[in-house]
Amino acid sequence: MRKALQIVLIVVEFLITLIVLTPLLLWLLLNLYLMNHRIGKNRKRMVKMLRREGLSEHTSIKIAEHMFPKMEFPLSTLMSMMSGDKLGKRKEGRANWKAE
């Protein structure tokens, strides 16, 4: 009886946690989608402006992608951020950029 009660309590706790976290996760996914939608619109607008200025299509797209990158959060990156793992840690003394 005691073991069955423990299992029931664990299942109930899991269901309560799932009910509480589901709206939060849906809200975060909606915000990510809307952010990428807005970035995509800005990127297209910038490509049009650069094309009107006389740049080639390829160059315009590259500049717009650099200015407005798509926000992607793969599951592996999220898991490494949550665990505090440093997967992409660079060696000391090496910088991502060069000062001129």
Side-chain angles (χ1 to χ4, degrees):
M1 179 71 177
R2 185 177 191 138
K3 194 78 159 171
L5 182 63
Q6 285 178 344
I7 292 173
V8 168
L9 288 175
I10 288 173
V11 169
V12 168
E13 184 178 350
F14 173 76
L15 289 174
I16 290 172
T17 304
L18 190 65
I19 290 169
V20 169
L21 290 180
T22 300
L24 175 68
L25 292 175
L26 289 175
W27 181 76
L28 288 173
L29 286 174
L30 178 66
N31 280 332
L32 183 65
Y33 170 76
L34 291 175
M35 180 179 55
N36 278 330
H37 178 71
R38 178 65 120 186
I39 288 172
K41 284 175 62 176
N42 288 341
R43 188 182 307 127
K44 287 178 185 176
R45 193 177 316 145
M46 185 174 206
V47 168
K48 282 183 186 177
M49 287 187 342
L50 291 172
R51 291 285 295 144
R52 277 190 300 228
E53 293 295 323
L55 288 175
S56 68
E57 186 175 353
H58 176 72
T59 306
S60 301
I61 291 172
K62 287 293 183 183
I63 291 172
E65 286 177 352
H66 180 73
M67 295 300 292
F68 298 106
K70 185 172 184 177
M71 300 303 218
E72 293 179 344
F73 298 103
L75 188 58
S76 60
T77 304
L78 291 176
M79 297 305 263
S80 66
M81 286 192 312
M82 286 191 295
S83 67
D85 209 7
K86 306 276 191 283
L87 293 177
K89 188 175 180 184
R90 295 185 58 86
K91 295 179 183 178
E92 288 185 33
R94 293 182 61 196
N96 289 335
W97 52 273
K98 292 182 180 180
E100 292 183 26

